[in-house]
Amino acid sequence: MTTITADAFTTSADGTRIAYDLTGPTPGLAPAIVVVDGVLAHRLPVTLAVATVLGDRVTTLRYDRRGRGGSGDTPPYSVDREIDDIAALLEITGPAALLGITSGTFLALRAAADLGADVTGVLCFEPTYDIASGEPPTDPRMIAGVETCIEMGDPGSAVELFLDVVGMPCRLLPRMRESPSWAGLEAIAPTIAYDGRILAGVALGRRALMSRWHQITQPVLVADGAASAVSVTNAAESLAAVLPMARRVTLPGQGTDVPPQAMAEAVESLLRTVGVR
């Protein structure tokens, strides 16, 4: 495995600095994949482990979405600006596949619809919304409630609100607040609402993804884990059913704790479908 850079930066269309790292061959010498993280995550250790498994066979770019880690943030937020961020990263890699994780799957799919051939394929891992359910795509608290907490200078309450939305038992909150990771969660708490807006955009608005599935003509692999929650499996099934070039796969492991080797194999399977492996 060749690590090209541990931490580098590019500039998005609105001038926001986006931090990233690259693992594998120099861009252009191998197929590439860009990791699009989900809510409250940025450059997780597991994605570094996946990049390590892929080694010199694939160029893997991991980045901090705006407002997280080493990346900047320029108000006001819009999903279009996050698409611009991905476009700037694709200028580094050349045409590449996207690995969208949880809520990041819908940002990756939006990028596939907007950026066309620059996105060669999408691996959607554990999508968070069952589009066949008829339910609203996001809890309103994930946007308005979180933004109110941030405006009041209380990022901790914003994180607590999100954890309540996703169903974490209240008895676990004191332990969470005492954990070393809590300060990091508070630091990126404003971005919870960003993911809320991405999810809302699946079904709402003039450019709702639900009216644009036919525009996503790239190969898509929709994956869950063998022990994923029933809601996640249902979401994966419903998403695969509406995308013209999608296929389903279930990876070995305990839900989100899929072994890096299995995820790397899924990445390479997608790349073979794209025709570059």
Side-chain angles (χ1 to χ4, degrees), residues 16-236:
T16 301
R17 192 169 80 155
I18 303 298
Y20 69 92
D21 59 47
L22 281 165
T23 305
T26 300
L29 298 183
I33 190 151
V34 176
V35 179
V36 184
D37 286 314
V39 64
L40 285 180
H42 58 101
R43 288 195 271 179
L44 295 169
V46 66
T47 60
L48 178 58
V50 172
T52 301
V53 173
L54 291 169
D56 60 5
R57 302 188 302 278
V58 177
T59 301
T60 303
L61 186 150
R62 305 181 313 136
Y63 76 104
D64 296 336
R65 285 174 51 193
R66 59 176 51 218
R68 311 181 191 194
S71 290
D73 200 3
T74 304
Y77 175 79
S78 77
V79 179
D80 286 338
R81 291 189 173 193
E82 290 225 57
I83 301 302
D84 288 341
D85 300 344
I86 293 174
L89 295 164
L90 293 175
E91 290 182 5
I92 297 163
T93 61
L98 304 179
L99 165 55
I101 301 173
T102 62
S103 56
T105 62
F106 293 103
L107 180 57
L109 289 170
R110 167 73 184 274
D114 285 0
L115 302 178
D118 286 341
V119 176
T120 60
V122 184
L123 171 52
C124 301
F125 181 64
E126 292 211 322
T128 52
Y129 174 51
D130 180 353
I131 61 175
S133 68
E135 298 294 326
T138 188
D139 188 310
R141 293 176 295 167
M142 196 169 163
I143 302 174
V146 165
E147 289 177 344
T148 297
C149 290
I150 298 303
E151 289 170 4
M152 294 176 63
D154 189 1
S157 289
V159 177
E160 286 191 8
L161 183 59
F162 170 71
L163 294 175
D164 183 58
V165 166
V166 298
M168 195 188 85
C170 292
R171 68 179 184 276
L172 299 180
L173 274 175
R175 187 184 308 171
M176 283 281 294
R177 275 192 167 273
E178 293 170 1
S179 73
S181 64
W182 186 259
L185 295 177
E186 287 191 344
I188 61 175
T191 68
I192 297 169
Y194 300 175
D195 283 76
R197 293 187 183 281
I198 289 165
L199 291 173
V202 175
L204 304 174
R206 181 175 57 85
R207 300 174 65 200
L209 265 180
M210 278 189 173
S211 66
R212 303 180 67 201
W213 299 132
H214 65 284
Q215 297 176 1
I216 303 173
T217 56
Q218 302 93 327
V220 177
L221 189 61
V222 184
D224 60 355
S228 292
V230 172
S231 60
V232 171
T233 298
N234 290 342

